[in-house]
Each structure stands twice: as C-alpha cells, then as structure tokens.
C-alpha cells in the first residue's frame, strides 16, 4: 500500500490505484472499470487456462488408469513395471507441471499487460479469456476435465469479478490478514480470558461431547455454518448502523451509488470478520491442545459412551479424536459469534477495534472525493 495519499495534482490512475489499495474498487466509475476489464483479468484468465488444462491431463490420466485396471487387475505386475515413459505417468507429470506453471504464467501475463499500452493489454486479455474458454476442452477428449459450459461460466465469473473489483478486495483482505496477525495479541489479551470463563465450562461438560459424538461431519459443519452466518449478519447489521451517521454527514444518499454504499460497508465488515476468523482459529487450536493434554481417552469414552475414534485419511497420524475436533470447531464458531457480539455491545472493545475501521471508511470517502475532483479537472 502506498505510504502517502495521492496529491491533488496526481494522475487519475494514481487516485484509482489508491482506491483499490483501500479496498474500494467500486468507487471507480463504471465506465473505467468496464474499459479495464480485459486488461485487469488477463493474468487470472491465463493462469486459470493453464490450470484447467492441468485438470484435463489429470482426468485423462485417470481414464488410462481405470482402463488398465479393468484390463489387467490391481495385482497385475504391469503396475510395477510402469516407467517414466508410460502414458499414465507422463500425464500425471504434465498435470503437475501445469499446476505449478499456472500461477507463474498468470503473474507474468499480469506484469506484461501492466507494461504495455491499453490496446495491446486488451488484446492480451481477450486472448487469455478465449484461452480459458477453449484450452481445457480442446486439450484432450471432450469428456476430460472441465467442459465448454464450465469454462464459459468460469470466464464469465472472472470478467464479472474483475468488473466489481474482487481482485482488489482479495489483495486488500490479504494485507488486512497480515495486519491483524500483528495486532492479535491485544485482542486475545482483552477478550480471551473473559470468554474462557463461559466456554471452558462447556468444554468440560459431558453433554456437549455426547451431542457432538452423535453428529456426522455434515451436521457438524451445518452447526458451524449457522453460527458463522449469525456472525456475518450481526457484524453486517451493527456495522451498517455505525456507518449510517458517517455516510449521511459526509456523503448524502443522492451522491453515493448503491454499489459504492455496498463497497463502503464491505470494508469494515470484512475487516471485522477477518478478526473473528483469526480469533476462531486461535480458539480452535487452544481447545484441541487443551483436550489433548487434559482429557484422556478413558474420560472421553466415559463421557461419550463410545470408543474414541481417531482421525482418518491424511490426518490419520494426528493424536486427537474426531469428537475433540468437532467440539473444538463448535466452540471456536461460538467464540467468533461472541466476539462479534462484543464488537456490537462493548464500548471499550468498539473504541479499540471497531472505531479505527470506521475511520478508514471516512478516509475512503475523502479519497473518493479527491478522485472525483481529479476526474472533473481531467
């Protein structure tokens, strides 16, 4: 992010870049965003074109493997005799190479379009979009990998996402995550001890273990999802109320488009949700660690009336039980909801963690006004 704001004499492009850095891409006028769609989407389209071709190669390799299994059986020595020149191995290596190359090619294309002029950049962006549509379907057999319908929808999603500034919001969110990681200590020291007074009682209660041991993973994720949705709604409603007076005082409703109002609301909402998500991850890890050292297998078996079930698949070697993970996930989601409630009701929490986000929105409104003045001068 730039260390200083653009000056009044700065170029129009500098003001637009500043708005994107603030996470406010929808403040840029629609005509400019539409004109830059192909240029700004070129890198993503090129990278996805390579990645979808990798999916086609992987799918084709799977077809060869299934055909070989049907022909010779799983215990056939042909499996052991496969060399590097075998089509299955070659396709797997090709798929791996394409997956690795996809982000590199996307980054290179994005760099190129930024250095060339608008017209060559648009041509490259159009070629990348066409490649995303046709690369995967034409790479191998039509049934391998993403089909034409999928790639067309993917291309449309990339173009629409570029128009609304999804990439700018993602980059702003990534910077925000790094920033919040650096300030998590203050929040943890303030919120976690008070929260633990209530949540620790639930964690050491046999009832929650008995409930969670009987739930499937789909039901567990549904419970976590409901609490996550409540967190999002609570954050969105309270943030909208906080912003109402600022928007009315600094930018009357007739001066802000609906998209701009949504963008202004998204910035503090996303920032607050990032705080809640990071806090939930910390709480989850804390309870997994606490359960590992404080609740032995015999205690868990006595509480749940079932033998402890270990994690399977890639996590088979992790020394924690499935029920412990489910309990920790549920309590972490509850903690995130509790943090959102604190942001809505605790004046000290709001002054320390919420008010700075509102101030950022006010700064964004000032940047928008400077951008519009620059457009009028141009």
């Amino acid at each position: 992010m730039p260390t200083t704001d653009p000056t009044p004499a700065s170029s129009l492009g500098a003001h637009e870049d500043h708005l994107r850095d603030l996470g406010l891409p929808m403040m840029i006028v629609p005509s400019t965003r539409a004109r830059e769609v192909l240029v700004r989407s070129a890198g993503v389209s090129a990278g996805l074109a390579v990645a979808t071709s990798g999916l086609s190669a992987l799918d084709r390799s799977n077809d060869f493997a299934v055909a070989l299994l049907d022909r010779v059986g799983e215990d056939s020595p042909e499996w052991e005799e496969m060399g590097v020149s075998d089509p299955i191995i070659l396709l797997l290596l090709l798929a791996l190479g394409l997956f690795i190359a996809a982000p590199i090619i996307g980054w290179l294309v994005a760099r190129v379009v930024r250095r060339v002029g608008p017209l060559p950049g648009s041509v490259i962006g159009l070629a990348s979009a066409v490649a995303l549509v046709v690369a995967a379907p034409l790479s191998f057999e039509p049934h391998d990998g993403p089909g034409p319908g999928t790639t067309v929808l993917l291309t449309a999603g990339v173009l629409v996402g570029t128009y609304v500034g999804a990439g700018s919001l993602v980059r702003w969110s990534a910077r925000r995550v790094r920033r919040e990681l650096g300030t998590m200590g203050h929040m943890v020291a303030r919120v976690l001890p008070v929260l633990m007074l209530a949540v620790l009682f639930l964690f050491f209660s046999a009832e929650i273990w008995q409930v969670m041991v009987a739930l499937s993973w789909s039901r567990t994720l549904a419970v976590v999802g409901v609490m996550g949705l409540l967190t999002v709604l609570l954050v969105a409603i309270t943030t909208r109320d906080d912003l109402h007076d600022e928007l009315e005082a600094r930018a009357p409703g007739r001066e802000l488009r609906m998209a701009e109002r949504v963008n202004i609301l998204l910035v503090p909402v996303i920032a607050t949700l990032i705080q809640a998500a990071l806090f939930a991850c910390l709480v989850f890890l804390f309870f997994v660690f606490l359960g590992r050292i404080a609740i032995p297998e015999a205690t868990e078996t006595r509480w749940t009336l079932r033998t402890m079930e270990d994690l399977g698949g890639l996590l088979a070697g992790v020394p924690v039980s499935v029920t412990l993970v489910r309990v920790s996930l549920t309590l972490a989601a509850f903690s995130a909801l509790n943090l959102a409630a604190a942001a809505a009701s605790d004046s000290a929490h709001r002054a320390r963690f919420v008010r700075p986000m509102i101030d950022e929105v006010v700064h964004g409104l000032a940047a928008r006004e400077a951008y519009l003045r620059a457009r009028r001068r141009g």
Side-chain angles (χ1 to χ4, degrees):
M1 179 182 294
T3 56
T4 58
D5 296 349
T7 65
S10 298
S11 67
L12 194 59
H15 286 279
E16 293 171 351
D17 290 339
H18 183 57
L19 286 171
R20 291 190 175 97
D21 287 336
L22 293 174
L24 299 172
M26 295 299 287
M27 294 293 182
I28 300 171
V29 296
S31 59
T32 299
R33 289 186 280 115
R35 187 170 61 250
E36 296 178 346
V37 160
L38 289 176
V39 175
R40 301 189 67 84
S41 67
V44 176
S45 297
L48 287 177
V50 177
T52 53
S53 299
L55 286 175
S56 295
L58 186 63
D59 198 5
R60 189 59 175 166
S61 173
N62 182 68
D63 290 343
F64 280 138
V66 171
L68 182 60
L69 272 175
D70 292 340
R71 189 174 73 251
V72 301
E74 186 176 353
D75 298 327
S76 171
E78 287 192 38
W79 282 102
E80 301 177 0
E81 296 172 358
M82 282 196 307
V84 178
S85 61
D86 189 276
I88 297 176
I89 303 299
L90 288 175
L91 286 169
L92 286 175
L93 292 174
L94 175 61
L96 178 62
L98 290 173
F99 290 144
I100 295 174
I104 299 174
I105 291 177
W107 177 78
L108 289 174
V109 171
R111 294 270 296 183
V112 168
V113 296
R114 283 199 297 267
R115 293 179 179 274
V116 300
L119 182 57
S122 297
V123 172
I124 295 173
L126 179 60
S128 299
V130 172
L132 177 54
V133 172
V134 303
L138 296 182
S139 298
F140 298 96
E141 298 295 330
H143 61 275
D144 290 324
T150 301
T151 56
V152 168
L153 288 177
L154 186 59
T155 305
V158 169
L159 296 177
V160 172
T162 302
Y163 175 75
V164 300
S168 298
L169 281 172
V170 169
R171 287 190 294 272
W172 174 85
S173 299
R175 291 193 298 269
R176 190 77 196 198
V177 168
R178 292 197 298 268
R179 176 177 169 182
E180 295 298 337
L181 284 173
T183 60
M184 278 295 291
H186 299 288
M187 179 180 297
V188 171
R190 180 177 182 83
V191 178
L192 192 58
V194 178
L195 179 65
M196 287 299 104
L197 293 176
V199 180
L200 276 176
F201 176 78
L202 289 175
F203 183 72
F204 287 105
S205 172
E207 285 76 11
I208 190 172
W209 289 76
Q210 292 167 1
V211 170
M212 300 312 297
V213 75
L215 291 184
S216 62
W217 273 114
S218 59
R219 287 178 178 269
T220 302
L221 295 177
V223 171
V224 173
V226 168
M227 286 197 234
L229 180 61
L230 289 175
T231 302
V232 173
L233 290 176
L234 180 58
V235 169
I237 292 172
T238 55
T239 304
R240 183 196 61 187
D241 293 340
D242 290 335
L243 286 176
H244 178 75
D245 293 338
E246 297 287 351
L247 291 179
E248 291 303 317
R250 295 175 179 269
R254 59 185 175 82
E255 295 184 4
L256 281 177
R257 303 189 308 273
M258 178 58 68
E260 292 176 318
R261 287 181 167 271
V262 171
N263 197 171
I264 284 179
L265 179 62
L266 273 179
V267 167
V269 166
I270 292 175
T272 305
L273 291 177
I274 288 173
Q275 286 183 349
L278 292 175
F279 185 73
C281 291
L282 182 63
V283 172
F284 170 76
L285 294 175
F286 171 80
F287 278 122
V288 168
F289 174 75
L290 182 63
R292 179 75 183 97
I293 64 175
I295 301 177
E297 181 178 351
T299 302
E300 180 178 334
T301 301
R302 186 162 56 251
W303 282 353
T304 61
L305 304 178
R306 296 188 187 182
T307 304
M308 189 177 77
E309 180 184 357
D310 294 328
L311 296 173
L314 297 176
L315 302 177
V318 179
V320 296
S321 69
V322 170
T323 308
L324 173 59
V325 172
R326 291 173 181 167
V327 171
S328 300
L329 275 175
T330 303
L331 293 181
F334 173 77
S335 300
L337 180 58
N338 185 277
L339 182 68
S345 58
D346 186 344
S347 58
H349 182 97
R350 290 167 64 82
R352 185 173 184 87
F353 300 108
V354 178
R355 186 64 212 181
M357 301 178 192
I358 305 301
D359 293 338
E360 290 182 15
V361 171
V362 174
H363 175 62
L365 290 173
R368 169 187 178 270
E369 293 166 4
Y371 165 66
L372 293 178
R373 286 196 299 269
R375 279 187 58 83
R376 287 192 292 268
R377 285 195 308 270

